[in-house]
Amino acid sequence: MQRIGVFICWCGSNIGGVVDVPAVAREAAKFHGVVYSAEYKYMCSEPGQEMIVSAIKEHRLTGVVVASCSPTLHEITFRKNIARAGLNPYMLEMANIREQCSWVHQHEPEKATQKAIELVRRAVAKAGKLEPLFESAIPVTKRALIIGGGIAGIQAALDIADAGNEVIIVEREPTIGGKMVLLDKTFPTLDCSACISTPKMVSAAQHPNIKIYTYAEVEEVKGYIGNFSVVVKQKARSVNSKCTGCGICWAKCPTKNIPNEFDLGMSMRKAIYVPFPQAVPNRPVIDRERCRQFVKGKCGVCQKFCPTGAIDYEQGDEFVTENVGAILAATGYDLIDWTKIYGEYGYGKYPDVVTGLHFERMVNASGPTGGKILRPSDGEQPKTVVFVKCVGSRDEAKGREYCSRACCMYTAKHAHQVLEKIPGSQVVIFYIDVRCAGKAYEEFYLKTLHEGAIYTRGRVSKIYPEGNHLIVKGADTLLGRPVEVVADMVVLATAMIPSAGSADVARTVGFTVDKDGFFQEAHPKLRPVETNTGGVFLAGACQGPKDIPDTVAQASGAAAKIIGLLSHSEIAGEPTIARVNEAICSGCLACQGICPYRAIEPKEIVERLPGKQVTRVVASVNSGLCQGCGACTVACRPGALNLKGFTNEQLLSEVDALCQ
Amino acid sequence: MSIENESQENWQPKIVGICCRWCTYAGADLAGISRMNYPTTVRVIRVPCSGRVNPQFIIRALQQGADGVFVSGCHPGDCHYSSGNYHARRRLQVLKKLLEFVGLEPERFQFYWISGSEGAKFAETMKKIDEQIKKLGPNKKLKRSNVFKQGDRPA
Ligand SMILES: Cc1cc2nc3c(=O)[nH]c(=O)nc-3n(C[C@H](O)[C@H](O)[C@H](O)COP(=O)(O)OP(=O)(O)OC[C@H]3O[C@@H](n4cnc5c(N)ncnc54)[C@H](O)[C@@H]3O)c2cc1C
Ligand code: SF4
Ligand code: SF4
């Protein structure tokens, strides 16, 4: 039998000025289970709290009802308070008689008093059904895993490692760096991209707290916040750690003319290669599909010449298990494959129609053309360059509905670079809108405009070759007439889309993606760097198209969250989570599909029946993963699932109390 | 005392709201913080998520004599637990159809999306449901005492 104490707060005149507090206290004393009822000016004040503590002791209270302001405000205060008196902190129920009573019914004091009485009756009814709850202590492994070594992953890794935690980066490519190392200069400051990104790559590689797996992928993730166990698949590189990066192997390798992915096929590499000279780690990888040793079974040149004996043709994929407390997804973006959808632009058949990323490699001094803007078809310098924005972005019919955000700015940058590098050149930019929101962005665009870039508002309807040129047909929607430009080269600003395989990453780690396939943040405004899965965070273009400043800001934000998590050796697990009554669970697992956190797993139990033992499957709730939403409880047909702190019995008693 | 004996002027509806703690409950608090007014007939029960709401709670409220019941959660796409309100929407839509099928007036059970920033919307919605229920008068259909009177008390 519960012995409930009720404490009604005046909150000065906030409640007391409307509600007849002493009358509520008198009524409350009559409710079932109530052995003590009192009122006080400010229940949350020092003497108010003391009053509760001594009443608990004196009247041997087993449950407490505080009728005051919203529980959002002081539930924690009063929980701590009753714990001081030796009561379980969850033996508290609050009645919200301020925000949801006196403050909204100031002009009807009598009715407000009646309502306050009923709200207290509800709280008493629930208090009568409360049970002690206990927070579980979840240990935290002070290490973080970062998936994707682009600028987002690198920035976060450095921040987390500098705070004294171990970091593991898993990067799919043979080098870290992501897209930023491909870029030439970066808007709006036009500083050299490699000059600011490669030193960061090196710092990450040399950091004593950072371990980098390249040419690797995350194969499996198990566990929950603070306690993930991750299987990393290290793909066979065929070059072991004895390698010093001297470069003899790729100089001697007899293969040739393999398009280098890093230059988007505009330069050639060998079968054993490093993607680019500043690659981190500076250790080559053998492309087994192109290597003669693997394809034809004979060659062995690199092995023969390698001075350190680092070449290992026998190497297989390795699987390493890493235990971490937090995971950061930073898998970045890809560009939409326009060659499959834009027939009017030639499906990629015309060599002089390229994407913005090709252009970046071209203007880059360390790129395939040594920094010269040259037409891929004949290596000539183009005089007229046309840029087409929003290719695949803001195009529901063929591409994506959203805006890719970075293209307006990088197209302005590219236009500036053409005008600067090619004297007498002409630049025409087709656009729908010019979107340059960002510090110093609009100014950057205006500068390009003043330099002579011709901005034409309208979509391009067709591009086709004519002799040595490309004819770009479009409309100038501001002047309301068709336009035709004779161009030497066309650069398409193609949409940013989630990187290939990112859906698998989301599935493996266990979080959700949005309608476009980008990683879903826990809250678009208030929790932008967390996923809905505890301990799993996100940063960079994997969450949505963004430029480098935003990427880095988000990465540091996510790092701060991770550092916060890893600063605890134990975290308190929410006690208000689901529990299974194994006796009536039928093992149908209907609940499993409902749970957004994958917290429900099947479990085998052994039951003793007369004369025999049977094994059967029941649902079990992982206390580390369950967030306590309660969605599963409704899905359970036999009613085996209940939510602690919000049980069916508690809620029904509240309903009953309010309907009396 | 049965409802029939109460005079029409004295009758005050009982409206029970089941609100998710992250959105609508916070919206109701905001209505208070902003000192907005709405009828005293509304009483709120706090749940973690609209996905926690078992149709049984609503039926029970109607049986026990509530004249109107509403469930309110975060807007679609804003659920604190990512998908709870979608589950709620599907389940409660079925319940609503069922209740209408057995003859309950549609206004007696309603479902809303009210966010933590929509204090004004909460107050307006409460005024509206109060008006609707007052127009309908007391809930006699599902109320257990009435049903029992007709002699079909379950064994
Ligand atoms: C043509 C062009 C020009 C641009 N110019 C500018 C500019 O001037 N200024 C600016 O601010 N921004 C610019 N941007 C935008 C900039 O590229 C991005 O903001 C930035 O690269 C995003 O960084 P990220 O780390 O999020 O993603 P990424 O750079 O894409 O890095 C993601 C990393 O994750 C790895 N990865 C992906 N999937 C997996 C997996 N499953 N497992 C392991 N690793 C994986 C990738 O290999 C990659 O290394 C430009 C973009 C384009 C297309
Ligand atoms: S808890 Fe309920 S829904 Fe889940 S498996 Fe058991 S019976 Fe099925
Ligand atoms: S309460 Fe929510 S989070 Fe917990 S097991 Fe049930 S559905 Fe999953």
Side-chain angles (χ1 to χ4, degrees):
Chain A
M1 182 62 210
Q2 299 274 31
R3 296 176 59 83
I4 297 164
V6 181
F7 302 86
I8 323 269
C9 182
W10 282 68
C11 194
S13 62
N14 279 304
I15 297 170
V18 179
V19 170
D20 182 349
V21 174
V24 178
R26 276 195 304 277
E27 281 305 308
K30 300 178 197 157
F31 294 156
H32 182 72
V34 175
V35 295
Y36 181 76
S37 175
E39 25 114 352
Y40 187 67
K41 272 258 171 287
Y42 293 102
M43 224 67 234
C44 60
S45 69
E46 185 70 38
Q49 302 211 36
E50 248 345 286
M51 180 175 165
I52 299 177
V53 170
S54 45
I56 292 172
K57 291 181 179 155
E58 194 173 322
H59 299 276
R60 291 174 291 117
L61 300 180
T62 57
V64 167
V65 167
V66 178
S68 60
C69 51
S70 171
T72 318
L73 220 63
H74 276 317
E75 193 168 46
I76 294 178
T77 317
F78 290 116
R79 276 203 183 134
K80 283 193 187 140
N81 184 232
I82 69 168
R84 275 205 301 141
L87 218 54
N88 179 284
Y90 292 88
M91 298 306 288
L92 167 83
E93 181 61 21
M94 292 188 69
N96 184 343
I97 59 166
R98 191 179 76 175
E99 281 82 348
Q100 295 185 16
C101 190
S102 67
W103 276 355
V104 282
H105 310 309
Q106 308 101 309
H107 310 303
E108 300 172 281
E110 266 166 45
K111 284 183 182 169
T113 303
Q114 190 50 41
K115 174 168 171 179
I117 292 170
E118 286 175 33
L119 292 180
V120 173
R121 185 192 291 133
R122 179 206 64 75
V124 169
K126 183 166 183 185
K129 303 260 184 222
L130 288 176
E131 54 199 356
L133 299 179
F134 300 92
E135 290 164 0
S136 54
I138 304 175
V140 177
T141 309
K142 290 179 183 283
R143 304 173 90 214
L145 169 79
I146 296 180
I147 310 173
I151 188 61
I154 294 171
Q155 179 65 42
L158 289 170
D159 289 350
I160 299 167
D162 282 344
N165 306 289
E166 279 179 53
V167 179
I168 292 135
I169 300 180
V170 175
E171 166 60 53
R172 183 163 63 183
E173 300 299 321
T175 174
I176 57 169
K179 300 286 188 307
M180 189 173 167
V181 284
L182 270 69
L183 308 179
D184 176 40
K185 295 198 164 57
T186 54
F187 63 72
T189 45
L190 290 180
D191 43 0
C192 149
S193 184
C195 314
I196 53 179
S197 63
T198 49
K200 276 197 184 285
M201 291 161 63
V202 174
S203 317
Q206 291 176 347
H207 203 295
N209 286 346
I210 300 180
K211 177 155 140 198
I212 303 175
Y213 290 93
T214 52
Y215 210 47
E217 272 171 58
V218 169
E219 187 76 9
E220 187 189 292
V221 175
K222 277 205 225 135
Y224 48 90
I225 184 168
N227 302 275
F228 295 102
S229 153
V230 181
V231 177
V232 178
K233 175 181 171 186
Q234 173 65 67
K235 288 178 276 183
R237 210 179 177 109
S238 316
V239 179
N240 67 29
S241 57
K242 289 185 207 149
C243 169
T244 57
C246 69
I248 292 175
C249 53
W250 65 82
K252 297 288 181 190
C253 175
T255 60
K256 49 181 179 289
N257 291 342
I258 302 168
N260 187 355
E261 298 80 1
F262 182 75
D263 278 328
L264 297 110
M266 292 188 293
S267 71
M268 299 301 155
R269 62 165 171 83
K270 300 289 186 68
I272 186 165
Y273 70 105
V274 287
F276 58 102
Q278 297 82 20
V280 170
N282 186 21
R283 197 201 306 175
V285 45
I286 293 183
D287 173 354
R288 292 188 171 184
E289 272 159 38
R290 302 323 205 306
C291 167
R292 292 186 185 185
Q293 182 68 30
F294 283 95
V295 176
K296 299 208 176 106
K298 55 178 186 217
C299 177
V301 169
C302 51
Q303 196 171 49
K304 214 172 297 159
F305 282 97
C306 176
T308 60
I311 309 292
D312 179 1
Y313 298 126
E314 307 298 310
Q315 203 178 51
D317 292 349
E318 269 174 50
F319 295 87
V320 192
T321 303
E322 295 281 5
N323 294 316
V324 297
I327 297 178
L328 175 68
T331 52
Y333 70 98
D334 278 340
L335 293 177
I336 199 165
D337 187 0
W338 70 276
T339 65
K340 296 231 167 68
I341 42 178
Y342 284 94
E344 62 268 48
Y345 303 165
Y347 284 131
K349 279 197 307 267
Y350 319 134
D352 296 335
V353 181
V354 299
T355 69
L357 221 44
H358 287 89
F359 185 88
E360 290 284 343
R361 295 310 297 150
M362 244 183 244
V363 277
N364 199 315
S366 62
T369 56
K372 293 199 190 72
I373 304 168
L374 302 173
R375 288 158 43 111
S377 61
D378 55 8
E380 292 292 313
Q381 202 173 50
K383 277 278 174 263
T384 302
V385 181
V386 169
F387 291 88
V388 185
K389 294 206 288 186
C390 302
V391 177
S393 309
R394 311 178 66 196
D395 181 357
E396 267 177 88
K398 292 198 158 172
R400 305 301 180 100
E401 195 182 345
Y402 57 80
C403 161
S404 288
R405 271 184 70 184
C407 346
C408 276
M409 282 300 288
Y410 74 62
T411 300
K413 171 180 78 175
H414 293 168
H416 159 82
Q417 286 169 315
V418 170
L419 294 168
E420 182 187 62
K421 290 205 169 187
I422 308 175
S425 58
Q426 205 192 10
V427 167
V428 180
I429 299 171
F430 284 91
Y431 71 99
I432 310 179
D433 292 293
V434 180
R435 295 179 165 176
C436 298
K439 192 162 163 175
Y441 283 15
E442 182 73 9
E443 296 91 316
F444 185 90
Y445 151 63
L446 288 176
K447 195 167 134 258
T448 311
L449 202 59
H450 293 144
E451 282 167 358
I454 301 162
Y455 273 76
T456 306
R457 190 171 201 270
R459 271 203 196 268
V460 169
S461 57
K462 198 158 180 58
I463 301 172
Y464 58 94
E466 202 173 87
N468 214 2
H469 301 288
L470 289 163
I471 308 296
V472 180
K473 280 194 156 180
D476 186 327
T477 53
L478 292 181
L479 296 177
R481 59 163 199 220
V483 275
E484 195 175 295
V485 184
V486 181
D488 300 311
M489 191 166 99
V490 178
V491 182
L492 308 177
T494 44
M496 287 163 101
I497 57 170
S499 67
S502 57
D504 297 328
V505 173
R507 208 173 309 119
T508 309
V509 181
F511 57 87
T512 42
V513 298
D514 65 20
K515 71 177 198 334
D516 298 309
F518 288 109
F519 295 163
Q520 180 70 51
E521 64 281 2
H523 190 282
K525 282 140 269 180
L526 302 178
R527 294 169 70 200
V529 301
E530 293 156 81
T531 67
N532 261 318
T533 304
V536 181
F537 302 82
L538 40 78
C542 62
Q543 182 256 348
K546 56 177 67 64
D547 58 17
I548 297 163
D550 285 0
T551 296
V552 171
Q554 203 182 20
S556 286
K561 285 275 172 198
I562 292 174
I563 293 165
L565 170 62
L566 301 187
S567 68
H568 303 279
S569 42
E570 271 182 355
I571 49 171
E574 259 295 312
T576 49
I577 58 172
R579 78 165 156 236
V580 181
N581 181 343
E582 291 177 355
I584 53 175
C585 171
S586 67
C588 68
L589 294 173
C591 48
Q592 199 175 21
I594 298 281
C595 178
Y597 304 99
R598 302 199 304 193
I600 298 180
E601 290 146 14
K603 174 177 102 175
E604 279 195 353
I605 55 165
V606 181
E607 261 181 4
R608 233 170 279 172
L609 294 178
K612 58 174 176 185
Q613 274 194 354
V614 287
T615 318
R616 63 181 186 97
V617 171
V618 295
S620 85
V621 176
N622 182 321
S623 59
L625 290 176
C626 175
Q627 307 282 312
C629 69
C632 57
T633 60
V634 189
C636 179
R637 278 163 287 212
L641 275 162
N642 219 338
L643 186 66
K644 291 192 248 174
F646 295 93
T647 64
N648 291 333
E649 301 71 36
Q650 289 164 356
L651 287 163
L652 286 172
S653 72
E654 293 178 72
V655 168
D656 289 353
L658 285 185
C659 294
Q660 253 177 43
Chain B
M1 181 178 69
S2 85
I3 285 162
E4 280 87 340
N5 297 341
E6 289 176 38
S7 75
Q8 200 61 29
E9 300 99 86
N10 284 345
W11 177 72
Q12 283 293 323
K14 278 198 176 76
I15 300 171
V16 175
I18 308 181
C19 300
C20 112
R21 67 188 294 178
W22 305 103
C23 289
T24 308
Y25 196 91
D29 279 354
L30 183 62
I33 293 162
S34 324
R35 307 295 197 280
M36 288 158 178
N37 289 315
Y38 57 83
T40 54
T41 49
V42 175
R43 283 103 229 257
V44 169
I45 292 175
R46 188 169 68 134
V47 288
C49 173
S50 54
R52 170 69 187 95
V53 179
N54 195 316
Q56 191 194 358
F57 305 159
I58 294 139
I59 297 174
R60 174 80 146 244
L62 292 166
Q63 280 183 330
Q64 294 293 100
D67 302 298
V69 181
F70 70 91
V71 173
S72 183
C74 311
H75 286 269
D78 282 352
C79 175
H80 183 81
Y81 305 100
S82 84
S83 56
N85 53 0
Y86 292 126
H87 292 305
R89 181 164 66 180
R90 269 174 253 147
R91 291 164 181 161
L92 299 176
Q93 192 55 36
V94 174
L95 175 73
K96 195 164 166 57
K97 284 266 174 325
L98 184 79
L99 289 173
E100 284 167 29
F101 177 74
V102 300
L104 192 83
E105 300 90 337
E107 292 85 356
R108 296 234 192 251
F109 170 52
Q110 310 202 32
F111 191 62
Y112 311 117
W113 315 115
I114 300 174
S115 79
S117 61
E118 293 175 327
K121 182 172 173 191
F122 184 85
E124 284 317 308
T125 310
M126 294 310 107
K127 280 183 206 159
K128 200 171 119 215
I129 188 170
D130 176 76
E131 241 167 59
Q132 290 172 328
I133 300 296
K134 275 189 180 141
K135 208 177 281 167
L136 286 179
N139 158 32
K140 296 180 189 161
K141 279 227 166 61
L142 285 185
K143 199 175 169 186
R144 189 173 280 172
S145 50
N146 292 344
V147 176
F148 289 165
K149 232 179 277 161
Q150 285 153 22
D152 40 47
R153 180 182 210 122

